[in-house]
Amino acid sequence: DIVMTQSPDSLAVSLGERATINCKSSQNILYNTNNKNYLAWYQQKPGQPPKLLLYWASIRESGVPDRFSGSGSATDFTLTISNLQAEDVAVYYCQQYYLAPYAFGQGTKLEIK
Amino acid sequence: QITLKESGPTLVKPTQTLTLTCTFSGFSLSNAGVGVGWFRQPPGKTLEWLALIQWDDDKRHSPSLSSRLTVTKDTSKNQVVLIMTNMDPVDTATYYCARALGKIHDQWGQGILVTVSS
């Protein structure tokens, strides 16, 4: 099974600043045939279901603000939240959908400093 | 507008079978590339993928749970059913269904908290 590991487990960032969350997969999740990384990022607020933010590692879902961006390839990925807003307080998860079981990272809790 | 809603029992006893129904609207499971996935999340923990059923009835299950899981679809009713046998207290979690485009789960239900206790 592919294991997804996020860092850090928690993060406190000042309003207006940048938050960076890392995600590492235990195997390459870049499919060479289509040159796509099979990685998604989700945001989850308390009492709510996960919300898809990014897929193919860097494609923003419709309606997601452009302060959310994704980068990386193969085994190492990053979610960057620029100009942090109060409503960005949440737990963030990465997920690989390259190979079943489609595992998630353990989550990163983002708070305001 | 796309909506999904999970329904079923919120309390089951150990060894019982859990049957959850995902009723959706705004999309069709007869369209190529569309599927419905199931996930769960124990309180305070991360998400776990359980199963995925596709428009062509292709099914994937978590290997660690495959012997306990069954997933079926009723395209005419816009429903997907998840059956999990031999429930245990460690299966206590919020269970979610979500629409899948390919394997990208873009729209999620609100979830249903299932507690396993005698």
Side-chain angles (χ1 to χ4, degrees):
Chain A
D1 294 1
I2 298 176
V3 176
M4 307 301 290
T5 304
Q6 292 180 229
S7 62
D9 290 334
S10 63
L11 183 62
V13 176
S14 300
L15 290 172
E17 296 299 308
R18 176 182 300 176
T20 301
I21 298 170
N22 300 302
C23 174
K24 190 174 184 68
S25 62
S26 62
Q27 297 178 33
N28 183 3
I29 56 174
L30 169 63
Y31 189 39
N32 291 330
T33 300
N34 58 14
N35 199 36
K36 289 185 174 182
N37 288 283
Y38 283 57
L39 184 98
W41 287 97
Y42 293 90
Q43 175 193 66
Q44 188 177 34
K45 297 180 179 180
Q48 296 185 18
K51 174 186 175 183
L52 177 66
L53 296 176
L54 300 155
Y55 55 95
W56 301 128
S58 63
I59 306 299
R60 264 188 303 276
E61 173 70 339
S62 176
V64 173
D66 60 6
R67 63 177 184 274
F68 291 89
S69 63
S71 62
S73 187
T75 61
D76 292 278
F77 302 90
T78 300
L79 170 67
T80 301
I81 309 170
S82 303
N83 186 22
L84 190 73
Q85 303 295 302
E87 61 263 32
D88 299 335
V89 168
V91 178
Y92 292 84
Y93 297 95
C94 61
Q95 183 213 14
Q96 66 83 14
Y97 49 96
Y98 182 84
L99 185 65
Y102 306 124
F104 291 81
Q106 79 277 19
T108 296
K109 186 175 184 179
L110 177 60
E111 299 173 316
I112 303 297
K113 186 186 294 183
Chain B
Q1 182 189 5
I2 293 169
T3 65
L4 302 98
K5 186 174 183 179
E6 306 85 355
S7 60
T10 57
L11 178 65
V12 297
K13 290 180 167 47
T15 75
Q16 285 187 336
T17 295
L18 172 69
T19 300
L20 293 175
T21 300
C22 177
T23 303
F24 56 86
S25 63
F27 67 95
S28 173
L29 252 184
S30 62
N31 291 344
V34 178
V36 170
W38 284 96
F39 302 81
R40 68 180 179 180
Q41 186 173 36
K45 296 188 177 181
T46 189
L47 295 147
E48 179 183 12
W49 172 77
L50 300 177
L52 172 64
I53 185 166
Q54 302 273 25
W55 63 283
D56 58 357
D57 212 36
D58 180 51
K59 302 171 187 177
R60 307 290 170 94
H61 302 88
S62 173
S64 63
L65 294 168
S66 61
S67 64
R68 299 173 54 203
L69 288 178
T70 302
V71 61
T72 61
K73 64 180 175 68
D74 187 329
T75 304
S76 64
K77 292 184 177 179
N78 282 353
Q79 290 182 333
V80 171
V81 174
L82 179 77
I83 298 171
M84 183 179 292
T85 61
N86 195 25
M87 294 292 284
D88 183 271
V90 301
D91 297 313
T92 293
T94 297
Y95 287 75
Y96 296 99
C97 63
R99 183 182 77 160
L101 298 180
K103 290 180 284 186
I104 300 167
H105 294 83
D106 67 334
Q107 301 290 334
W108 293 59
Q110 285 298 309
I112 181 170
L113 175 60
V114 178
T115 301
V116 184
S117 175
S118 55

